[in-house]
Amino acid sequence: EAGVAQSPRYKIIEKRQSVAFWCNPISGHATLYWYQQILGQGPKLLIQFQNNGVVDDSQLPKDRFSAERLKGVDSTLKIQPAKLEDSAVYLCASRDRDYSPLHFGNGTRLTVT
Amino acid sequence: GDSVTQMEGPVTLSEEAFLTINCTYTATGYPSLFWYVQYPGEGLQLLLKATKADDKGSNKGFEATYRKETTSFHLEKGSVQVSDSAVYFCAQHTNAGKSTFGDGTTLTVKP
C-alpha cells in the first residue's frame, strides 16, 4: 500500500510569513493526525481528525495555526504568522482504528528565520 | 495525565554489543505499547508492539515485554549492527486514538 504522503519536504520562511503543509493519508484510514516534532523531542499532537471532523485540537495554537481535512481525505496545516519557535518537523500520521500502529509520513522540516 | 518516559541518550555502542533502552509509562486506562524507529531523513515507522500485559513484541532482533506491574516496556537487542543506528521512540496508544510519545533515544552503533 502507498504510504502517507507529505509535501513539501523542506521549507524556509521568515518570521511573520505564512506557510502551508499538505498530507495525503493511507487510503481508507479514517483518523489523521498532525504532530510537531522539535529537535530532540518526541512528536507532540497538534490536531486529530476523524474523517473530516476534529476530535482533538486542544494543543493547537489557534491564534496562528489552522488545519482542515476536506472530504475526509487530504489535510492541510497552515501557520500564519510564523514565529521563530515554530521551527520544527511537522509530521502527518494516519491509522485505520484505535490502538493500531500509526503510519507516518516523512515530515516537513520548517525553518523560520 | 498519560506520559511516557525514556532513558536519556544518546547511546553509543560497538557493533555486536547488547542494547537496552528503558521506557516507563503512566496511563489511566490500558494502553497498547509501541516502539517506533526513525532513521535519518525518514519519518517514524513501527518497530514492534504489545497490546496487553505480558505480551512480548519482537521484530528485526529487537524485543520488548509489556510489564504492567512495573509500567515498563524496555527495548532490547542482543547484538546491534551499524544499520540499527537511529532514533527510537517509545509510545502508548489509548482509547479514542490518543497517542503519547517519549522524547526519543538516539542510538549510534560504531563498527
Side-chain angles (χ1 to χ4, degrees):
Chain A
E1 62 182 4
V4 176
Q6 286 190 249
S7 66
R9 285 298 309 271
Y10 305 93
K11 191 73 177 178
I12 301 174
I13 61 173
E14 295 181 351
K15 59 183 179 183
R16 292 187 288 274
Q17 287 186 324
S18 62
V19 64
F21 312 127
W22 173 83
C23 173
N24 183 247
I26 291 174
S27 177
H29 282 195
T31 311
L32 183 148
Y33 306 79
W34 283 101
Y35 287 91
Q36 181 191 59
Q37 186 181 16
I38 293 173
L39 186 65
Q41 299 181 17
K44 299 291 192 295
L45 179 68
L46 291 173
I47 189 166
Q48 175 187 348
F49 291 95
Q50 180 76 19
N51 296 309
N52 60 348
V54 176
V55 174
D56 184 356
D57 64 356
S58 58
Q59 301 302 309
L60 188 73
K62 298 181 187 64
D63 57 333
R64 298 184 302 105
F65 286 64
S66 64
E68 61 182 7
R69 190 183 183 197
L70 299 176
K71 300 181 182 179
V73 182
D74 293 10
S75 178
T76 57
L77 175 70
K78 297 179 181 178
I79 307 175
Q80 181 180 14
K83 293 185 175 181
L84 296 176
E85 59 261 36
D86 298 332
S87 294
V89 176
Y90 291 84
L91 296 168
C92 179
S94 68
R95 60 157 44 119
D96 56 356
R97 60 187 184 280
D98 289 356
Y99 297 99
S100 65
L102 289 165
H103 296 261
F104 285 87
N106 285 338
T108 296
R109 181 176 297 278
L110 173 67
T111 302
V112 182
T113 63
Chain B
D2 297 345
S3 67
V4 174
T5 302
Q6 285 182 236
M7 66 181 288
E8 295 186 9
V11 175
T12 302
L13 296 173
S14 298
E15 209 165 21
E16 300 184 2
F18 184 84
L19 168 70
T20 299
I21 301 177
N22 290 338
C23 171
T24 58
Y25 67 93
T26 59
T28 53
Y30 300 95
S32 293
L33 301 176
F34 297 78
W35 278 99
Y36 290 86
V37 59
Q38 187 174 32
Y39 298 104
E42 299 182 14
L44 281 74
Q45 56 186 272
L46 177 69
L47 179 60
L48 54 83
K49 66 176 183 179
T51 58
K52 62 183 186 297
D54 299 325
D55 271 2
K56 177 185 283 187
S58 62
N59 186 28
K60 300 181 180 180
F62 291 88
E63 293 184 340
T65 301
Y66 191 143
R67 302 287 188 197
K68 186 177 178 182
E69 63 276 13
T70 55
T71 62
S72 65
F73 192 55
H74 304 322
L75 182 68
E76 296 182 336
K77 186 173 185 180
S79 177
V80 294
Q81 305 300 313
V82 172
S83 57
D84 294 327
S85 297
V87 184
Y88 293 81
F89 292 90
C90 185
Q92 60 173 327
H93 298 339
T94 58
N95 62 329
K98 304 299 182 186
S99 301
T100 308
F101 290 82
D103 282 338
T105 301
T106 300
L107 171 66
T108 302
V109 181
K110 296 188 174 181

